[in-house]
């Protein structure tokens, strides 16, 4: 441990719960870094420093000492609970820091809060960076995927430090300057939304293999391990196999059978859906994953409905290829979920004026983060081939992958429906695909309904302009200057 006194740390961490402590240890393990550490409760600071005497830490008992221990430009990463706690620490540091210094919020903040905070802090001359950090406790310690926003000036100082601790794939650190103000936390939010969708799709695949395929959890673990050696290779597939192999020590039952089937969430999936609605971007795969968790958490509705309904449909008879059908349906649905997530990133960038490099985002998600997967290399290639591609679904690789799996996808969804097995992720992804692929949608009728009851107008297929039918009059058509939206 370094002695307190003159400024000697090039980076500091405020907030030393598990994520903050692990991030501080990661920083201290990299050559050239001396890490100032501070926690509101000094006992936690002493515990960290005492347990890791090998780490090059500079510990402080007050935030004033912490600020004084940092070399200029001072750089501090806040790892406290999002909300009022974050605002309080920002206020304390802003009062102590000078123009050119950098405050980084590494928590799961709402990007709108980050936009507000960045504007307020920038007025003092201090740089504020909202940085999404993905990878959980292990990632924070061994190498996360990092999505910093903020100014270019701030990233010149911060970038090399973050690159030193990020995960590395093919020699490339999993960190990039995402964009100004709230861009980093926005992209992290979308990452978490995609994570929700990915997890739900994997859970649906498990449910189908167990109920329709008749496999035990251990046998399904072997299936997922096999899938993880192919195009579905990912961290989530890997850990799913580990969870399914686990046996409960008390009962001897599969672990998955003793866990209450009520899934919780921490809000980022909800934020993704809410903001996608505001942006007018359909993210049905993410939304259905959020709703599936909500349904699971209402036993007061599930139990009486089961009692009221009585017998359930018989499990549909399937052939020996069902397992491969599920694999193909999972991959196709995964393509849709990621395509929708990147659509939301594109729309957010347009609305908030961010210059987000989609290929760079896919690149930094290849390692360190929860959704890291071989699949992301294909997204990198897609945006390298055509940065303005209208949807990932028309990229030649993904278009072929979906086309090759389309029949299997339909068989799986229909089998689930006939068997009474919920697959909201698979089914919504297929409906989204069918919507994009349809030559004509029933939205024409919706526009007619809207014009009838609200004079919302419509456009015609055979001539330019905006029109309204006089439904309450002689039903003649007039051209208007109104909007059909």
């Amino acid at each position: 441990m370094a002695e307190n006194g003159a400024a000697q740390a090039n980076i500091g961490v405020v907030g030393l719960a598990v994520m903050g402590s692990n991030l501080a240890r990661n920083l201290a393990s990299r050559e050239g870094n001396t890490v100032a550490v501070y926690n509101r409760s000094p006992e936690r600071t002493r515990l960290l420093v005492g347990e890791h005497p090998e780490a090059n830490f500079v510990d402080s008992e007050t935030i004033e000492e912490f600020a004084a221990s940092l070399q200029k430009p001072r750089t501090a990463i806040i790892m406290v609970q999002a909300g009022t706690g974050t605002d309080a620490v920002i206020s304390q540091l802003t009062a102590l820091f000078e123009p050119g210094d950098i405050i980084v919020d590494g928590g799961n903040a709402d990007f709108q809060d980050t936009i507000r905070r960045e504007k307020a802090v920038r007025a003092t001359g201090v740089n504020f960076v909202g940085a999404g950090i993905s990878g959980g406790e292990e990632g924070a310690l061994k190498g996360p995927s990092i999505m910093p926003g903020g100014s270019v000036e701030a990233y010149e100082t911060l970038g090399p430090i973050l690159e030193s601790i990020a995960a590395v794939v093919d020699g490339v650190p999993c960190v990039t300057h995402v964009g100004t103000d709230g861009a980093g936390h926005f992209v992290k939010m979308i990452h978490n939304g995609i994570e929700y969708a990915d997890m739900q799709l994997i859970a649906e695949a498990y449910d189908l293999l167990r109920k329709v395929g008749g496999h035990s959890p251990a046998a399904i673990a072997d299936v997922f391990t096999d899938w993880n050696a192919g195009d579905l290779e990912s961290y989530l597939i890997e850990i799913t196999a580990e969870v399914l192999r686990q046996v409960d020590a008390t009962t001897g039952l599969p672990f998955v059978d003793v866990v209450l089937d009520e899934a919780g969430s921490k809000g980022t999936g909800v934020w993704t859906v809410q903001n996608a609605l505001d942006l007018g971007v359909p993210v049905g795969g993410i939304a259905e994953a959020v709703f599936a968790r909500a349904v699971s958490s209402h036993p007061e509705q599930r139990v009486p409905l089961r009692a009221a309904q009585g017998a359930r449909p018989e499990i549909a008879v399937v052939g020996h290829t069902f397992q491969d059908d599920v694999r193909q349906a999972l991959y196709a649905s995964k393509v849709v979920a990621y395509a929708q997530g990147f659509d939301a990133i594109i729309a957010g960038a347009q609305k908030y004026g961010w210059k987000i490099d989609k290929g760079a985002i896919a690149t930094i998600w290849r390692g360190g983060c929860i959704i890291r997967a071989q699949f992301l290399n294909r997204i990198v290639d897609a945006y390298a081939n055509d940065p303005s591609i209208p949807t990932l679904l028309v990229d030649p690789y993904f278009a072929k992958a979906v086309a090759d799996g389309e029949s299997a996808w339909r068989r799986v969804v229909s089998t689930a429906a006939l068997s009474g097995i919920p697959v909201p992720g698979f089914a919504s992804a297929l409906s989204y695909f069918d919507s994009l692929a349809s030559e004509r949608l029933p939205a024409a009728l919706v526009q007619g309904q809207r014009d009838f009851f609200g004079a919302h107008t419509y456009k015609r297929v055979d001539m330019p302009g905006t029109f309204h039918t006089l439904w309450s009059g002689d039903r003649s058509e007039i051209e208007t200057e109104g909007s059909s939206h």
Side-chain angles (χ1 to χ4, degrees), residues 16 29 79 83 85 117 164 176 209 251 262 278 282 313 335 339 346 364 369 397 399 414 420 454:
L16 301 175
S29 71
M79 298 296 292
R117 290 164 176 156
S164 76
T176 189
L209 291 173
T251 64
E262 297 176 18
D278 290 338
V335 172
I346 292 166
I364 68 170
C369 68
Y397 172 82
S414 60

Side-chain angles (χ1 to χ4, degrees), residues 33-57:
N33 285 343
T34 299
V35 185
V37 289
Y38 167 76
N39 194 80
R40 184 177 60 176
S41 301
E43 294 78 12
R44 192 180 290 272
T45 308
R46 297 187 198 113
L47 180 65
L48 173 66
V49 173
E51 289 182 341
H52 299 283
E54 79 287 351
N56 200 17
F57 288 141

Side-chain angles (χ1 to χ4, degrees), residues 115-202:
I115 292 174
R116 167 181 59 81
R117 290 164 176 156
E118 195 277 337
K119 182 178 180 181
V121 173
R122 178 168 23 101
T124 70
V126 175
N127 290 295
F128 183 81
V129 174
I133 300 177
S134 180
E137 299 172 11
E138 182 179 1
L141 179 62
K142 298 180 180 179
S145 174
I146 312 175
M147 296 149 261
S151 67
V152 173
E153 174 195 1
Y155 194 74
E156 288 176 357
T157 297
L158 187 62
I161 297 172
L162 297 183
E163 288 173 7
S164 76
I165 64 168
V168 177
V169 176
D170 297 334
V172 180
C174 293
V175 57
T176 189
H177 181 224
V178 177
T180 55
D181 53 59
H185 277 143
F186 180 87
V187 167
K188 175 58 163 55
M189 176 190 73
I190 300 298
H191 163 282
N192 285 21
I194 294 172
E195 177 186 310
Y196 271 61
D198 214 342
M199 293 171 69
Q200 175 64 26
L201 293 170
I202 292 170

Side-chain angles (χ1 to χ4, degrees), residues 18 88 90 115 126 136 167 243 309 328 372 396 415 457 464:
V18 176
I90 291 170
I115 292 174
V126 175
V243 171
Q309 289 296 307
Q328 292 184 74
R372 59 186 183 267
T415 297
T457 75

Side-chain angles (χ1 to χ4, degrees), residues 51-350:
E51 289 182 341
H52 299 283
E54 79 287 351
N56 200 17
F57 288 141
V58 179
D59 58 303
S60 299
E61 302 235 337
T62 69
I63 198 146
E64 290 81 9
E65 291 176 0
F66 171 80
S69 70
L70 291 166
Q71 300 168 358
K72 297 181 180 180
R74 301 179 183 93
T75 304
I77 302 175
I78 302 171
M79 298 296 292
V80 301
Q81 189 170 5
T84 56
T86 299
D87 281 319
V89 176
I90 291 170
S91 178
Q92 290 176 311
L93 290 175
T94 302
L96 296 168
F97 278 19
E98 299 172 353
D101 291 346
I102 304 166
I103 298 172
V104 183
D105 177 12
N108 260 344
D110 186 326
F111 78 96
Q112 297 280 13
D113 286 340
T114 303
I115 292 174
R116 167 181 59 81
R117 290 164 176 156
E118 195 277 337
K119 182 178 180 181
V121 173
R122 178 168 23 101
T124 70
V126 175
N127 290 295
F128 183 81
V129 174
I133 300 177
S134 180
E137 299 172 11
E138 182 179 1
L141 179 62
K142 298 180 180 179
S145 174
I146 312 175
M147 296 149 261
S151 67
V152 173
E153 174 195 1
Y155 194 74
E156 288 176 357
T157 297
L158 187 62
I161 297 172
L162 297 183
E163 288 173 7
S164 76
I165 64 168
V168 177
V169 176
D170 297 334
V172 180
C174 293
V175 57
T176 189
H177 181 224
V178 177
T180 55
D181 53 59
H185 277 143
F186 180 87
V187 167
K188 175 58 163 55
M189 176 190 73
I190 300 298
H191 163 282
N192 285 21
I194 294 172
E195 177 186 310
Y196 271 61
D198 214 342
M199 293 171 69
Q200 175 64 26
L201 293 170
I202 292 170
E204 290 177 17
Y206 150 77
D207 207 29
L208 288 163
L209 291 173
R210 188 160 192 190
K211 292 176 179 174
V212 179
H215 297 316
S216 68
I220 299 171
D222 291 339
V223 171
F224 277 102
T225 298
D226 182 57
W227 288 355
N228 201 47
D231 54 11
L232 280 170
E233 182 276 320
S234 70
Y235 172 71
L236 284 171
I237 292 286
E238 177 188 340
I239 67 168
T240 298
E242 293 299 315
V243 171
L244 291 173
R245 282 197 184 93
Q246 182 73 6
V247 174
D248 177 55
T250 302
T251 64
L253 294 170
F255 167 80
V256 73
D257 286 350
V258 301
V259 176
L260 189 65
D261 59 337
E262 297 176 18
S265 64
K266 291 190 175 180
T268 46
V270 176
W271 293 351
T272 302
V273 176
Q274 290 172 333
N275 282 282
L277 286 170
D278 290 338
L279 293 167
V281 177
V283 291
I286 297 170
E288 290 296 345
V290 173
F291 297 151
R293 295 193 190 189
V295 170
S296 78
S297 299
H298 286 283
E300 77 283 358
Q301 293 178 322
R302 296 167 57 196
V303 172
L305 180 60
R306 285 200 302 275
Q309 289 296 307
R312 300 288 294 142
E314 291 186 11
I315 300 296
V317 177
V318 297
H320 67 280
T321 61
F322 182 69
Q323 181 175 305
D324 192 58
D325 279 357
V326 174
R327 180 189 64 79
Q328 292 184 74
L330 176 57
Y331 194 79
S333 299
K334 183 185 178 84
V335 172
V336 168
Y338 278 74
Q340 291 177 342
F342 274 89
D343 287 348
I345 289 175
I346 292 166
Q350 291 174 342

